[in-house]
Structure formats: structure tokens, C-alpha cells
Amino acid sequence: MSKIIPVPPFDFVIFGGTGDLTLRKLLPALYHRFLDGQIPAESQIIAVARSDLSSAAYRGRAADALRHYVEPANLRNPAETGFYEMLHYVRLDAAAEDQDWSGLHSLLSNDRIRVFYLATSPNLFGPICDALAHNGLNQNEARVVLEKPIGRDLESAQAINDEVGRCFPEASTFRIDHFLGKETVQNLLALRFANTIFERLWNADVIDHVQITVAETVGVEGRGGYYDHSGALRDMVQNHLLQLLCLLAMEQPVSLGADAVRDEKLKVLRSLRPLELYEVPAMTVRGQYIAGAVNGKPVPGYLADLGHNESDIETFVAIKAELNSRRWAGVPFYLRTGKRMPQKVSEIVVQFRRLPFSIFPKEHTLEANKLIIRLQPEEGMRLEMMTKEPGPGGLQLRPTGLDISYEKTFGGRFPDAYERLLMDTVRGNSTLFMRRDEVEAAWQWVTPIMEAWGSRGERPRPYAAGSWGPTAAIALIERDGRTWHEDLGDGQE
Ligand code: BG6
């Protein structure tokens, strides 16, 4: 494991402090960093929300959350750790005009880094930033962190970015996409730019196509209220899947500096070929799960999960994306993501071209090479290649894999994505965060797809929970003479 470098003491203010994200991800992430000695005990974590709670009551909630979301092996007696002493609660309706901000004001120190994490609905980002500025809290070392999704389309994203931009400079604005904090996603930079062997192969001459799958077994859980205004395209594709595509497709940045990396990602987003209205039905598939079974357990459909009779929100999307660039001309990037899939798996498959000519007898089917990058679970990479089977019987060939398993190679605990990213907000390192122009370029590509779906008034296609989505998603890739990579291992959730 790499060396842990402590950050300076800071004040970390979380708006939406009683919400699901805070309890499930942010507090456990801060807890782990604290246990590892990275967070100095003089730091403060200040949860802000509308409920009428004392700090003591909030600590009780935080304790429940940690018991629930931290693996038992890593859970120490919280009282012993001092973690809880850092927690404070401030009651505030951050979007209302008549609020008294002096309670928050008095807790903050003037000589420290201050992070305002907005774990709220995006329509509150502007009003909260305004209030922070109005109350003089956006000073000096203040940073604001915006959870995705930023807006619902290009126009609303621009409006939010304008509102936030009036109160915080771009360099202090951290737009989080937690996929960028995943170890295996950061490793894409290492794979491509710390190795000699791939760069010359990383183009349309050698690569046939790329698949990016982010599949989840869960449904919408308790998040129906948010999800039913969002859907898979806004929730996953506009951010997580397009960010993965960027890291795979971008040119080598001049350095690992935040702007150098983001400049290259931006070029990829801008080179995405816009889909014309008439192409959208052939290049995209949207689905919604109906009742079925996941891992042998019967599960209800999306509407039943929501408790509604109707919804035309998609819980599955597949898209064939193309890039207008010399490197990638003619190489489709097939993206798919969905809830209630048979397996939880996030995986990238780089499919190399078939051998143009073979000296081996015709009965040998030579599989094309494939690089499979497993982002989660069972993090690792496998390069599939043809190998001679040992023994007599002539040259018998079979596809085999060069495998790297994170667990076997590195062992130990892999920090959650939020751990790295939260510390980066304190350090002020925005390499793994999205810049305004990136977010807007991603919306620019995605918005016409949503508009085309809307204009056709088509409902998402039903798919049984526990399947790989509507059959149209299989047709999407098979029409091109290709198939989804099905050997997804056995990483059941
Ligand atoms: C979030 C989405 O950004 O990512 C969720 O809003 C999704 O709908 C989640 O479940 C998946 O993240 P992870 O880290 O569990 O793969």
C-alpha cells in the first residue's frame, strides 16, 4: 500500500448531511481516512440539514451508519477513535432566504481549508452557493464540491455552472464523478501511459471495437424519487460511462496536472459524433425492468419499486458511440448500463481485430485478442491470447488469459473511490474532477438523445429483472457482426 501523507486540518461542511450519500459513502470514507491517520483530529466535519437534531443525536446517526456501511473488520470502537468528536450538526434550510447562518459561521475557522460538499439536489447548488457568498463563507481556501448529476440537460447544467461560478472560481469548484476515484479507473492512466506495449496498438488499425458495461443487480432501492426524474442516461452515461470512454480514448496528456488531463478528456467528448434524430432509434436502446429474478430471488419490476402505475424513465441504456478522430475512426464504443442485471460488474473490453492471415490449419478458430479490464468487483485485467496446448496431437491452440488480479497482487483493502476524492478536495487537486467544459460537452452529446427519445414518445422497452436488458440491446451490437462479451466471471453481488 502506498504511503499515507496527512492533509492539513480542515473544516468539511456537508449540505445534505442526513442524506443517503452522506451516511452511506461520505462519512465512511472520512472515517477510513481518519483511522489511517490522514485526517488530523483538529479537523471538523459539519453536517448541515433541515432536521431538528443536536450534534449528539447526529453522532448517533453517524454511528449507526458506520456500523452499517463499514466492514466489521475495520470498525473500531468509535469512542476510542475520536472520530465522533470531529462531527457537528447545524440545522439550516440552506435554500430558504430567512435563515440564520451564524451557527455555521461561528464553527468555521478562518485560517483553515474549508470544503463545502453539496450532497443535495442540483437545483439547490445555485441557492446554496449564493447563500455561502452572501454570508461571506466562500473566502480564501474555500472549495465547493458538486455531486452529479449537474443539471438535467445542457441548458440546466449551464445555468447551474453560471450560478456556482458567480460565487466560486473554477479552480475551487470540484465536480465529483466518483468513478474517477476508483482504483481500477485511475489505473487506466497507468495502463495506457506507464507501459510501452499498448500505445502503438491503441488505435483503429488494431482495435476493432470497445465495450463498456456497468451493470448493477440492485433496483432503484429507496432512491426512486431522484431516479424517476433522472434515468440511466442522466444517472450513469452522461458522467460515469463517458468518463471511462474519455480515459480510454484520450491522447497522452502533457502531464498529470488537472488541466492537462482534462484538456485531453474534453477533446474526446468534443469528438463524439453527434447522433442525428433519425439515427437515435438504431444507435440507442432504452429499457425498463419488469418483475423477474436476480441471483435466483424474485424481485419486483421498476413500477412496483416506485409504487407508481406509470413511468417512462429508463433503467437500462445501450448506445453505440463513435468518435470523429484519426485514432478512432470506424471503432465503435458500445456502452451499456442497467439496474437489475444478472451480475454486478463494471468492465471494459478492448476487442482487437482478427488476424488478417493465418498459417494454422482451417479447423483452428483463432479468437481475436481481447483486453478485459475489470473495474469491479474482482478488480483486474486479462489479456486473452491464443496459446498452444501442451502435449502431443500437433499444434492445438486455445484462447488463454494473461491475468492480473488486484486482490492476489496487492491484497489488503481497496479504499473506496470517495476516500481518494474527498482528500483531493482538501488537497486542492482537481485532476480527478470534472471541469465545467467537460460536463457541458458531455451534456451536449447526451441532450439530443434525450430529445429524440422524447420526440418519438416511445416508452422504454421492458426487460425481465435478472436479464441483460431488452433483446434490442443484443441486436444493437449483433447487427454489426459483433457480440457483447458474455464471459463476465462470477462476481455476484
Ligand atoms: C451513482 C448512481 O452515481 O453510481 C447510482 O447514481 C449507481 O444509481 C452508482 O448505483 C453506482 O456506483 P458504484 O460505485 O456502486 O458502481
Side-chain angles (χ1 to χ4, degrees):
M1 281 286 153
S2 20
K3 193 163 165 274
I4 291 165
I5 304 170
V7 297
F10 58 86
D11 289 337
F12 200 93
V13 183
I14 309 175
F15 289 89
T18 51
D20 175 67
L21 180 77
T22 305
L23 299 175
R24 201 161 42 88
K25 290 289 184 184
L26 306 185
L27 291 181
L30 291 164
Y31 178 71
H32 278 299
R33 295 294 88 230
F34 178 76
L35 278 194
D36 278 352
Q38 196 164 22
I39 299 184
E42 317 87 275
S43 304
Q44 301 190 96
I45 300 167
I46 304 165
V48 178
R50 282 178 304 184
S51 316
D52 197 2
L53 286 177
S54 63
S55 286
Y58 187 76
R59 288 180 192 137
R61 280 203 193 183
D64 289 345
L66 294 189
R67 271 194 294 277
H68 209 83
Y69 297 115
V70 172
E71 320 80 71
N74 294 315
L75 197 62
R76 313 263 167 77
N77 177 352
E80 283 170 24
T81 66
F83 179 72
Y84 290 67
E85 283 151 36
M86 295 198 302
L87 290 184
H88 304 268
Y89 181 80
V90 172
R91 182 181 173 277
L92 205 57
D93 182 350
E97 283 182 2
D98 56 345
Q99 300 287 296
D100 177 7
W101 286 68
S102 58
L104 179 59
H105 212 302
S106 63
L107 273 175
L108 298 175
S109 325
N110 279 333
D111 51 358
R112 280 193 187 173
I113 292 163
R114 224 176 246 187
V115 179
F116 296 108
Y117 195 113
L118 310 194
T120 65
S121 152
N123 59 350
L124 297 180
F125 293 169
I128 295 176
C129 287
D130 264 350
L132 289 171
H134 183 73
N135 288 283
L137 297 175
N138 60 340
Q139 309 282 330
N140 309 331
E141 292 265 23
R143 280 128 212 201
V144 66
V145 187
L146 309 178
E147 249 305 325
K148 59 143 271 274
I150 296 179
R152 311 180 33 77
D153 53 20
L154 178 59
E155 205 184 329
S156 54
Q158 284 169 332
I160 291 171
N161 282 329
D162 284 345
E163 286 175 291
V164 173
R166 282 196 283 273
C167 310
F168 288 90
E170 180 62 30
S172 310
T173 305
F174 288 71
R175 296 178 191 79
I176 203 162
D177 179 320
H178 79 279
F179 264 53
L180 294 178
K182 289 183 191 281
E183 291 291 335
T184 42
V185 174
Q186 293 175 53
N187 186 51
L188 292 173
L189 291 173
L191 173 83
R192 294 200 50 210
F193 305 123
N195 293 297
T196 319
I197 55 176
F198 294 114
E199 178 53 24
R200 302 248 163 147
L201 309 178
W202 215 254
N203 57 52
D205 297 339
V206 191
I207 292 178
D208 177 76
H209 74 276
V210 177
Q211 300 181 13
I212 304 178
T213 296
V214 178
E216 299 179 273
T217 52
V218 291
V220 286
E221 311 291 278
R223 298 167 70 229
Y226 150 74
Y227 197 88
D228 204 46
H229 285 98
S230 172
L233 187 69
R234 290 188 180 94
D235 185 49
M236 299 294 288
V237 178
Q238 188 271 344
N239 32 79
H240 304 326
L241 276 85
L242 288 185
Q243 286 292 320
L244 295 178
L245 186 152
C246 285
L247 292 174
L248 283 170
M250 73 185 192
E251 300 299 320
Q252 174 163 301
V254 292
S255 73
L256 286 177
D259 279 332
V261 172
R262 297 183 304 176
D263 286 346
E264 294 306 333
K265 287 198 288 158
L266 178 66
K267 283 189 212 156
V268 176
L269 291 166
R270 291 198 173 148
S271 69
L272 278 164
R273 185 172 77 72
L275 296 189
E276 302 288 343
L277 183 67
Y278 74 89
E279 295 178 296
V280 168
M283 305 280 275
T284 71
V285 174
R286 59 196 300 250
Q288 188 185 85
Y289 63 84
I290 55 172
V294 177
N295 294 338
K297 275 200 228 118
V299 291
Y302 178 66
L303 295 179
D305 274 348
L306 278 186
H308 294 180
N309 294 329
E310 255 204 64
S311 164
D312 63 358
I313 281 297
E314 77 286 348
T315 59
F316 174 94
V317 188
I319 304 185
K320 178 179 170 184
E322 291 166 336
L323 296 172
N324 285 330
S325 71
R326 166 67 186 90
R327 188 190 279 268
W328 295 114
V331 179
F333 284 71
Y334 297 98
L335 315 178
R336 68 174 167 170
T337 181
K339 303 260 182 217
R340 290 284 190 229
M341 307 262 97
Q343 283 181 314
K344 176 169 173 73
V345 64
S346 300
E347 194 167 68
I348 295 166
V349 177
V350 179
Q351 173 73 63
F352 293 94
R353 290 192 185 281
R354 291 200 167 280
L355 208 59
F357 168 77
S358 162
I359 57 169
F360 295 93
K362 293 232 168 4
E363 59 274 18
H364 290 296
T365 320
L366 298 185
E367 300 286 337
N369 300 117
K370 249 182 216 177
L371 176 64
I372 299 158
I373 304 166
R374 176 65 82 93
L375 304 178
Q376 60 184 24
E378 293 163 12
E379 292 79 356
M381 282 180 285
R382 189 163 86 238
L383 182 61
E384 288 198 349
M385 49 202 293
M386 297 304 297
T387 309
K388 181 198 174 299
E389 270 184 7
L395 266 174
Q396 298 297 328
L397 303 180
R398 129 167 139 202
T400 39
L402 282 179
D403 262 314
I404 300 177
S405 146
Y406 264 49
E407 197 184 344
K408 286 191 199 131
T409 311
F410 303 108
R413 187 183 79 86
F414 302 136
D416 184 76
Y418 278 94
E419 294 179 39
R420 162 75 198 260
L421 296 176
L422 297 190
M423 291 302 94
D424 276 352
T425 66
V426 175
R427 285 185 282 249
N429 178 357
S430 46
T431 303
L432 298 177
F433 293 79
M434 295 181 292
R435 209 166 54 191
R436 171 178 185 154
D437 45 11
E438 268 183 274
V439 172
E440 292 178 6
W443 278 122
Q444 177 122 34
W445 186 72
V446 157
T447 302
I449 299 177
M450 298 184 308
E451 286 170 356
W453 288 345
S455 73
R456 295 172 63 86
E458 266 174 24
R459 292 183 45 77
R461 296 163 193 264
Y463 63 95
S467 70
W468 285 106
T471 46
I474 299 172
L476 174 88
I477 191 166
E478 293 201 341
R479 266 201 303 275
D480 295 343
R482 301 175 172 118
T483 48
W484 291 109
H485 174 64
E486 297 298 359
D487 175 22
L488 290 162
D490 55 2
Q492 309 284 313
E493 201 177 46

